[in-house]
Amino acid sequence: MYIDVLLELKNKQLDQTYTYKVPVFLEKEIKVGKRVRIPFNHRELEGYILSVKDSCEKNFEILEVLDVIDEEIVLNNELLKIGTFMKDTYLCSLSSAFAIMLPSALKASLKTNVNKKFETYLSMAIEYKKAISLCTSERQIDIVNGIKKAGFLQKSEANKISVSSVNTLLKKKIIIEQKEEVYRLQNKSREQDVKKVLNEEQKIAFDAIVENLKKHHKFLLHGVTGSGKTEIYMQVIEEVINRNQTAIVLVPEISLTPQFVSNFKARFQDNVAVLHSGLSQGEKYDEWRKITRKEVQIVIGARSAIFAPLNNLGIIIVDEEHSDSYKQENSPRYHAIEVAEFRAEINEIPLVLGSATPTLERMAKTTKNLYTRLELKNRVNKNLLPICISIDMAQEIKKGNSIISERLKTEIEASLSRQEQIILLLNRRGFATTITCSNCGFTYKCPNCDITLTYHKTNHSLRCHYCGYTTFKKENCPDCKENLNFYGLGTEKLEQIVKELFPDIKVLRMDADTTRKKNSYETIVEKFKSGEYNLLLGTQMISKGLDFPRVSLVGVINADESLNIPDFRSGEKTFSLLYQAAGRAGRKDTLGTVVLQTYNPNNPILKCVEEQSYEKFYMYEMNIRKKLKYPPYYFLVSLKITSKEYEECSKEATKVANYLKKKISDTSIVLGPTTANVFKVNNIYRFNIVVKYRFDDALFPVLKELDKLFVLNKKVSLEIDVNPVKI
Ligand code: ADP
Ligand code: ZN
């Protein structure tokens, strides 16, 4: 018996199969999708079995497999197919695709000690009366009685009574101990949540999906914020599991934490496994095994949960379809929705994508009937969408209100007097964005990156938000010893200003700095939900899918912030962020108010937010995309050329661009090379090339060629990003 093995290395040069001979004693264990240990170049490596065959034509010496690693198959047929799809679509190596499908606890190369977790239980070895008669102390009797009561006792609990008594009882063989495997994430007992009666709009959407449960059909569930999309997902999933099938639900990393998961667990109890990056390796490994052992039918998770090894999949649901978090920003640069489309297609099952602000790409597909659009125009219980007011900050500054406008201040006061809650959005963390000397012009810049450092007041540090470089602020300008000035506004400073303006209220701040610790995000959400705090301020994190019934006012401090990002999607991102943030206001019974502070009150995108009109935004933005030849009218591939050496990097980038121009179709457009937005990160120079194309048979073969070429280049690297979300 011979097998073809793919090495478990990310090295693109070695991304091919190698043939090995199977010694007879291992033959029984060999199966496609298991991993083996093999000799390679005088080393011992691991690899995936991709095929098994009886003979081998090669006439040189073939080495023997050393060992089979897995008892069970780790890459089933479906995952193997998805791997090939990813290799073809994203030009990544097959082994890098497989690597992200498996929990890292499985990877021996990491030398992790993550393993199954065991709990030791004590139980009776002899009859109860006899046991009691053999006890020589009060505490031994307590332990025996404890075991009698429930039939068993956790050893750790018994040890709390007395370690020596436990040992004596064990030695005398009065009790015995048994190790049992336990999962790290235990489902705490919860209230059973009851299914809601769907309203008319929900029912229409539900019926449309359920009618197509046995077919491959793609749906875009376009529902305003608070329209009850999650309830539809849950009821559809109930149908699916009643048919003995399974379901994957993807949500953005950030909304995974408290509410969404607990809603699902309240409805489906132990039938849910959860996968996200907040879990420890051990927890991930356990959740993964619940899936492979077929103990759960529902998997909820972030991006990589699309690879959950569920069998008999019945539906894939992706909530907040517009979220950037579905795209992986390093190799393999896959988009979970594209993988979901493929997986739904090969399983012949429906795919449901939900959003209040669908991406233009997806929306455009509904007009071509590639997706069926299901609309929820109303909030559950017919609550109205909030009223939106724009404030021209140029006028406010003249009045001396540079950060919080007069109107926002009065609205905050009004909300407070009604004992309602307030959310303030400022999409920039830290205290001040730059510190500058007005005398000599000195600014603190990152020595590794082409960017200014952000001042964080809590520990007086200056930090680079790209590479993490940290330094400390001097009292005066390091160059000329004059005073230093703060410019720009971050959430930390906003917090200080709000506290000064409203000294009696309780304020919470949520941003990357206050949510670093495990569970801190949940803690902030729970604290705010409890009603003990009046105001929550933070970055975009606060705008994502949170449901705070007592919030009646949302203030956007600098609505222009993301409009100024140099990316063709900045308008779309801004609309989505502000529309979603606005959606946090007035979710229950109260009519919400949204105050947008801006220096561009006539900006068309902000006008669309003000009117809460996705349709207007869609028409406006599609028109621009058409004129500028951007998606959804054109497809994009971005090529990133990076190097420690500037000259070399620039030269290679130009060569690549010229080569592309020569080789690909003349209906395609090659832009660049240009320097990246942040030109230098971590001392690495970055150039970008963007290819816009519609139909181009020559493009992918040329990209593959370039990719191969650069694998051998030690000085300059090339990374290809197919359908990039940021350029
Ligand atoms: P979305 O995800 O569309 O923003 P949610 O799913 O968060 O909306 O729903 C908003 C609220 O409405 C939730 O508290 C949910 O429990 C409730 N809800 C959803 N559907 C119904 C229904 N048919 N009847 C009553 N309440 C509902
Ligand atoms: Zn830096």
Side-chain angles (χ1 to χ4, degrees):
M1 183 191 266
Y2 297 88
I3 56 176
D4 290 324
V5 177
L6 176 78
L7 301 182
E8 201 187 48
L9 290 177
K10 287 197 186 159
N11 193 336
K12 270 195 178 169
Q13 254 173 296
L14 303 176
D15 198 47
Q16 51 168 303
T17 56
Y18 297 88
T19 304
Y20 286 85
K21 188 170 168 20
V22 180
V24 177
F25 75 99
L26 283 178
E27 278 187 2
K28 263 201 198 133
E29 290 179 53
I30 293 288
K31 278 207 179 88
V32 170
K34 282 191 183 183
R35 291 167 308 152
V36 284
R37 224 182 298 282
I38 41 164
F40 187 86
N41 264 348
H42 311 291
R43 280 198 294 165
E44 227 179 79
L45 293 179
E46 293 181 1
Y48 308 97
I49 307 175
L50 293 194
S51 59
V52 182
K53 52 198 185 188
D54 292 331
S55 59
C56 172
E57 293 112 53
K58 284 184 199 153
N59 41 19
F60 52 83
E61 193 199 0
I62 290 183
L63 297 172
E64 281 201 350
V65 175
L66 301 172
D67 203 359
V68 179
I69 298 168
D70 305 304
E71 284 170 31
E72 306 283 332
I73 289 171
V74 293
L75 291 171
N76 63 25
N77 239 332
E78 195 180 342
L79 294 181
L80 291 172
K81 273 190 212 160
I82 294 174
T84 309
F85 162 81
M86 288 170 68
K87 182 184 165 117
D88 294 342
T89 312
Y90 304 111
L91 310 174
C92 63
S93 69
L94 200 50
S95 64
S96 73
F98 292 148
I100 48 157
M101 295 180 185
L102 304 178
S104 42
L106 276 186
K107 286 161 217 155
S109 49
L110 288 173
K111 296 266 181 303
T112 47
N113 283 322
V114 176
N115 225 317
K116 295 171 184 170
K117 188 180 167 187
F118 290 93
E119 193 83 69
T120 309
Y121 292 95
L122 302 175
S123 54
M124 303 290 284
I126 54 171
E127 195 236 331
Y128 171 69
K129 272 191 193 149
K130 181 132 188 258
I132 291 289
S133 72
L134 290 172
C135 285
T136 52
S137 78
E138 233 13 61
R139 287 181 299 183
Q140 288 180 18
I141 293 176
D142 285 347
I143 293 165
V144 170
N145 279 331
I147 296 173
K148 171 88 184 349
K149 213 164 144 198
F152 64 90
L153 194 62
Q154 268 186 24
K155 191 177 182 183
S156 51
E157 290 300 311
N159 279 340
K160 282 184 197 155
I161 302 175
S162 158
V163 177
S164 65
S165 299
V166 170
N167 288 336
T168 313
L169 289 168
L170 282 169
K171 218 185 293 168
K172 289 197 199 162
K173 300 210 164 58
I174 297 171
I175 60 173
I176 47 165
E177 61 181 342
Q178 260 171 323
K179 267 190 175 181
E180 253 177 57
E181 192 192 339
V182 290
Y183 293 130
R184 290 165 180 88
L185 285 185
Q186 299 286 349
N187 285 321
K188 291 177 213 118
S189 59
R190 290 182 190 76
E191 289 165 42
Q192 170 87 36
D193 159 64
V194 280
K195 186 161 135 177
K196 304 199 167 60
V197 180
L198 297 179
N199 65 29
E200 239 165 80
E201 277 187 331
Q202 283 176 315
K203 185 82 172 68
I204 292 169
F206 171 84
D207 287 342
I209 300 167
V210 169
E211 263 167 38
N212 285 285
L213 276 185
K214 294 272 167 203
K215 294 177 218 148
H216 174 53
H217 200 105
K218 300 201 234 3
F219 294 97
L220 177 64
L221 181 58
H222 182 188
V224 296
T225 49
S227 57
K229 295 186 282 294
T230 313
E231 186 62 32
I232 299 178
Y233 304 152
M234 289 202 278
Q235 298 203 15
V236 169
I237 289 171
E238 199 183 320
E239 285 289 322
V240 169
I241 61 177
N242 285 343
R243 297 173 187 210
N244 288 325
Q245 289 188 300
T246 60
I248 294 178
V249 184
L250 297 188
V251 289
E253 188 71 56
I254 190 80
S255 40
L256 244 177
T257 20
Q259 291 173 326
F260 200 89
V261 173
S262 60
N263 284 347
F264 264 79
K265 288 202 169 166
R267 187 74 56 95
F268 300 105
Q269 274 79 39
D270 292 349
N271 207 356
V272 182
V274 184
L275 295 170
H276 63 88
S277 68
L279 302 180
S280 70
Q281 289 201 3
E283 287 167 343
K284 272 185 208 160
Y285 180 44
D286 282 359
E287 295 298 291
W288 191 77
R289 273 179 309 131
K290 285 182 196 167
I291 303 166
T292 54
R293 291 174 173 180
K294 306 188 174 58
E295 293 170 359
V296 293
Q297 285 175 286
I298 305 165
V299 174
I300 303 181
R303 179 173 67 227
S304 66
I306 193 57
F307 305 111
L310 283 167
N311 280 309
N312 201 10
L313 197 58
I315 195 163
I316 303 174
I317 293 172
V318 184
D319 193 33
E320 311 281 357
E321 167 275 335
H322 58 276
S323 168
D324 279 352
S325 73
Y326 292 124
K327 170 86 178 180
Q328 174 146 315
E329 287 294 357
N330 47 40
S331 181
R333 293 172 171 269
Y334 71 98
H335 198 297
I337 294 180
E338 288 159 2
V339 178
E341 288 176 332
F342 177 75
R343 204 169 171 183
E345 196 183 315
I346 59 175
N347 279 291
E348 294 176 39
I349 55 166
L351 170 66
V352 178
L353 311 181
S355 176
T357 52
T359 54
L360 294 187
E361 280 99 322
R362 219 80 56 197
M363 196 64 179
K365 283 187 180 170
T366 67
T367 62
K368 292 190 176 158
N369 290 328
L370 295 169
Y371 271 79
T372 301
R373 181 169 176 228
L374 304 169
E375 238 191 317
L376 304 175
K377 288 188 179 153
N378 299 298
R379 285 181 158 187
V380 174
N381 305 333
K382 307 276 175 211
N383 285 350
L384 295 174
L385 284 172
I387 298 166
C388 236
I389 310 150
S390 280
I391 304 292
D392 183 355
M393 288 308 282
Q395 299 301 320
E396 287 292 316
I397 284 210
K398 288 182 196 154
K399 297 188 222 159
N401 309 319
S402 64
I403 290 161
I404 294 194
S405 62
E406 215 169 275
R407 179 65 186 263
L408 182 54
K409 188 162 177 261
T410 16
E411 292 289 346
I412 292 176
E413 281 160 353
S415 283
L416 290 173
S417 71
R418 293 191 303 262
Q419 266 126 46
E420 291 162 355
Q421 289 180 307
I422 299 141
I423 287 180
L424 296 182
L425 170 74
L426 173 62
N427 206 9
R428 187 178 283 267
R429 67 195 166 99
F431 188 80
T433 41
T434 47
I435 295 186
T436 309
C437 170
S438 45
N439 185 41
C440 75
F442 168 86
T443 50
Y444 279 103
K445 283 191 133 187
C446 176
N448 310 318
C449 308
D450 171 41
I451 199 155
T452 54
L453 298 174
T454 300
Y455 180 58
H456 291 253
K457 198 171 182 205
T458 4
N459 53 2
H460 300 284
S461 66
L462 285 151
R463 263 182 261 159
C464 170
H465 288 183
Y466 278 80
C467 74
Y469 171 86
T470 303
T471 184
F472 293 91
K473 187 180 96 64
K474 298 261 178 349
E475 205 51 51
N476 295 311
C477 173
D479 284 355
C480 74
K481 311 289 178 244
E482 281 294 314
N483 285 339
L484 288 167
N485 294 313
F486 295 88
Y487 289 100
L489 175 68
T491 43
E492 234 183 277
K493 187 169 178 187
L494 180 64
E495 183 183 11
Q496 184 186 318
I497 290 165
V498 168
K499 283 177 172 167
E500 281 165 13
L501 264 176
F502 305 98
D504 301 328
I505 69 169
K506 292 189 78 176
V507 178
L508 282 167
R509 170 160 67 94
M510 187 195 282
D511 54 30
D513 297 314
T514 62
T515 53
R516 232 177 272 280
K517 281 196 221 113
K518 197 176 175 179
N519 297 331
S520 48
Y521 174 81
E522 288 93 321
T523 311
I524 296 175
V525 170
E526 286 313 315
K527 273 185 178 168
F528 191 56
K529 231 184 171 178
S530 75
E532 192 191 329
Y533 287 79
N534 307 93
L535 189 147
L536 171 68
L537 65 88
T539 53
Q540 48 161 30
M541 268 185 207
I542 60 172
S543 69
K544 299 272 162 80
L546 295 170
D547 188 8
F548 299 115
R550 273 182 270 202
V551 171
S552 62
L553 172 65
V554 170
V556 180
I557 300 305
N558 187 353
D560 313 313
E561 183 85 51
S562 60
L563 278 176
N564 299 330
I565 294 168
D567 186 302
F568 76 93
R569 284 196 182 88
S570 68
E572 181 176 355
K573 293 287 161 227
T574 305
F575 178 80
S576 163
L577 172 68
L578 299 184
Y579 182 95
Q580 300 270 354
R584 301 307 116 210
R587 283 171 74 87
K588 213 170 207 167
D589 314 328
T590 43
L591 185 64
T593 306
V594 179
V595 177
L596 296 175
Q597 299 191 159
T598 169
Y599 288 92
N600 303 289
N602 294 320
N603 179 291
I605 298 278
L606 297 185
K607 285 268 176 237
C608 297
V609 177
E610 210 178 305
E611 291 176 38
Q612 305 262 304
S613 171
Y614 178 87
E615 271 67 30
K616 267 200 184 160
F617 155 75
Y618 179 74
M619 303 294 270
Y620 170 79
E621 189 68 21
M622 283 295 271
N623 204 5
I624 294 181
R625 299 286 178 89
K626 190 173 184 177
K627 273 191 202 138
L628 300 181
K629 299 195 165 84
Y630 273 116
Y633 294 95
Y634 274 71
F635 297 108
L636 298 182
V637 172
S638 125
L639 296 92
K640 298 174 203 303
I641 296 113
T642 55
S643 172
K644 282 201 157 127
E645 288 166 47
Y646 173 81
E647 289 296 330
E648 200 70 16
C649 197
S650 160
K651 211 174 73 194
E652 287 297 323
T654 310
K655 270 208 275 191
V656 170
N658 289 339
Y659 189 71
L660 279 166
K661 280 174 198 160
K662 205 162 66 192
K663 290 278 184 166
I664 66 177
S665 152
D666 48 14
T667 56
S668 301
I669 302 159
V670 179
L671 300 176
T674 54
T675 53
N677 292 343
V678 181
F679 175 38
K680 185 176 79 165
V681 171
N682 240 336
N683 289 314
I684 300 205
Y685 293 95
R686 315 192 299 172
F687 283 86
N688 280 350
I689 296 169
V690 173
V691 181
K692 297 176 176 179
Y693 70 101
R694 287 169 69 86
F695 310 99
D696 192 340
D697 290 337
L699 178 62
F700 273 70
V702 172
L703 292 175
K704 278 183 195 166
E705 224 177 281
L706 283 169
D707 190 46
K708 270 209 192 108
L709 218 62
F710 274 88
V711 167
L712 303 170
N713 192 328
K714 291 275 173 287
K715 276 192 191 154
V716 183
S717 354
L718 168 73
E719 251 201 84
I720 298 174
D721 191 352
V722 179
N723 303 337
V725 296
K726 291 181 191 128
I727 61 167

